[in-house]
Amino acid sequence: MSAEVPYRPSGAGDKIQKQIQLPFSKAWQISLQGIRIRWARSLITASGIFLGIAFFSFVRTAGLFPVNLADKEAVAAANRQTWLAIMALLVCFVGIMNAMLMSVTERFKEIGTMKCLGALDNFVVKLFFIEAGLMGILASFLGWLMGWLIMVLLHLISKGVEGMGGAFFGSSLKEMAVSVMIGATITMLAAVPPARRAAKMPPVAALRSEI
């Protein structure tokens, strides 16, 4: 009596290619659950992009008000703030990547269990991208709002409603879209190395890991 042997593709060696493809809705559900369970870690990750985008929004909103180009000191100060905002976003990128790498480390057993149950590598990557996207969009919007409000309040205190016409609010909406897009992109890019590390993790080794 012969026993059934799992199908092994040519060149696959001893690796059994019996895996399952879960729908996007399941990945979405697992990602939301992961954020809720690890809310402290998620808060740390989101706070990085929140602060970076808040400063970026503050600087960009200041640029929406009329500036006297003849005042070289004011122009130089605006340029310095722009470079500081860019550097802040780069620091946020590194911070988010480190936070997500720590998240992968904390989830070794969870990732190993999913892979042992047949989850594909791209499903694991999808989980981290969904989490990063959700945190990036929400934190970026809140960061933009915080920076915008602070700049507007400072302007109202110092110069009143000068320069706050319809064009200002229209430009503010465009800056909101730019800020959210930049924040979400930075968060997604920062999630690439952690997601790849999680996807390439051998299931047995992950299950044996002790945190």
Side-chain angles (χ1 to χ4, degrees):
M1 182 175 180
S2 60
E4 293 185 1
V5 178
Y7 170 68
R8 302 169 187 262
S10 176
D14 294 330
K15 183 179 179 181
I16 300 176
Q17 301 293 323
K18 185 179 181 181
Q19 293 184 309
I20 56 176
Q21 180 67 52
L22 297 176
F24 180 82
S25 59
K26 190 63 177 178
W28 178 272
Q29 180 182 354
I30 295 175
S31 297
L32 289 179
Q33 184 179 3
I35 293 175
R36 285 196 299 267
I37 294 174
R38 283 167 290 272
W39 64 270
R41 174 69 62 187
S42 301
L43 185 62
I44 293 173
T45 304
S47 63
I49 196 64
F50 169 82
L51 294 174
I53 292 297
F55 184 58
F56 178 80
S57 172
F58 179 86
V59 173
R60 298 281 292 186
T61 303
L64 298 180
F65 295 109
V67 178
N68 183 9
L69 298 179
D71 189 349
K72 294 183 179 180
E73 184 177 348
V75 174
N79 292 333
R80 284 196 299 270
Q81 287 185 335
T82 300
W83 279 109
L84 285 174
I86 294 174
M87 293 302 297
L89 292 178
L90 291 176
V91 171
C92 288
F93 174 83
V94 176
I96 294 169
M97 186 184 300
N98 287 335
M100 296 200 71
L101 282 171
M102 288 300 298
S103 177
V104 171
T105 303
E106 292 174 352
R107 299 163 69 176
F108 274 170
K109 291 185 180 297
E110 177 185 337
I111 295 169
T113 301
M114 286 191 296
K115 298 190 73 174
C116 285
L117 293 175
L120 292 168
D121 291 351
N122 61 8
F123 179 79
V124 177
V125 172
K126 190 185 300 181
L127 292 179
F128 283 91
F129 277 175
I130 292 175
E131 290 184 19
L134 289 174
M135 289 187 292
I137 292 174
L138 181 59
S140 297
F141 173 75
L142 294 177
W144 168 83
L145 184 61
M146 177 64 72
W148 185 85
L149 287 175
I150 292 175
M151 187 66 245
V152 168
L153 288 175
L154 291 176
H155 184 80
L156 288 173
I157 293 172
S158 61
K159 298 183 179 180
V161 295
E162 178 186 351
M164 295 184 63
F168 168 77
F169 289 101
S171 299
S172 294
L173 291 177
K174 293 180 182 178
E175 290 298 329
M176 178 193 70
V178 170
S179 297
V180 172
M181 182 179 65
I182 290 176
T185 301
I186 289 175
T187 311
M188 295 288 284
L189 290 176
V192 171
R196 292 187 61 183
R197 180 186 178 188
K200 299 301 181 183
M201 188 182 305
V204 177
L207 289 173
R208 289 176 178 173
S209 299
E210 295 293 339
I211 306 301

